[in-house]
Amino acid sequence: MSDLAEAIGHAILNGADAQDQLALVRRTADADLVTADLLQQAVNAARAGGHSWSAIGGTLGLTRQAAQQRFGREPAAPGADDPEERWLGPVTAFDEMQELELAGRLGWRTTGAGLLRHHMVRTATQWEHKRVVWTGGLGRYEKDGWQVGCRAFPWVYLVRDTGEPAANG
């Protein structure tokens, strides 16, 4: 983390040109979104593992109440009133790819992931799903038509529209 902070500080102090400054803002904002999501997932995993809000708050330099207020709200179930959105789960790392394959044939694609579940959106076409380790560049997959459905450390879930009509189910 200090390397990133050092690189940002270096770019600011050395008077990067306007284009570089905007690129730095964009990349830093992207990093902020990703790390906020990772932190939420880590807190969810710690809670699922039995850790108290006091222990989590202490680790983060927060009070128990502040940690619970910041991270404890269960996200509203997307699509509760929309039949074209739903949560798939509970699933584990052992069975989720089979479940995603079945859902994909019915036109469902993953757009988000939570603890033991995937947020799915229904389309008129079938979808392929792929899970890869989050290691950096995804260009090799994008060349083959894959796009990021969601990130859930340590995985990236990729989706690809097959162009085939969704199966009835």
Side-chain angles (χ1 to χ4, degrees):
M1 183 71 129
S2 64
D3 290 343
L4 176 61
E6 186 176 318
I8 291 169
H10 186 298
I12 292 169
L13 292 175
N14 290 331
D17 68 30
Q19 212 50 32
D20 287 344
Q21 291 170 343
L22 291 177
L24 181 62
V25 168
R26 180 186 47 76
R27 292 187 70 196
T28 304
D30 289 346
D32 184 53
L33 289 173
V34 170
T35 56
D37 186 46
L38 287 172
L39 179 57
Q40 182 67 57
Q41 290 178 44
V43 169
N44 291 347
R47 288 290 296 155
H51 293 280
S52 70
W53 285 115
S54 287
I56 293 168
T59 300
L60 296 172
L62 302 170
T63 65
R64 172 201 57 80
Q65 183 178 9
Q68 189 172 14
Q69 286 175 344
R70 180 171 173 190
F71 300 105
R73 287 181 295 250
E74 179 67 24
D81 298 326
D82 185 351
E84 301 303 308
E85 292 186 48
R86 70 179 179 106
W87 284 101
L88 172 71
V91 293
T92 68
F94 301 106
D95 66 358
E96 73 181 342
M97 295 314 297
Q98 292 172 302
E99 295 295 327
L100 289 170
E101 180 183 343
L102 292 171
R105 280 189 246 147
L106 298 173
W108 295 96
R109 71 180 291 265
T110 191
T111 60
L115 188 60
L116 303 177
R117 61 189 184 161
H118 283 261
H119 177 249
M120 309 293 288
V121 173
R122 179 142 189 184
T123 68
T125 57
Q126 295 184 33
W127 289 83
E128 294 178 280
H129 291 82
K130 180 185 288 247
R131 178 181 68 200
V132 298
V133 176
W134 191 349
T135 58
L138 299 170
R140 62 187 180 273
Y141 299 108
E142 292 168 348
K143 287 190 294 188
D144 292 329
W146 292 99
Q147 57 187 288
V148 174
C150 68
R151 290 175 168 86
F153 187 78
W155 310 113
V156 175
Y157 293 90
L158 303 171
V159 294
R160 178 166 64 183
D161 190 334
T162 68
E164 304 272 331
N168 293 326

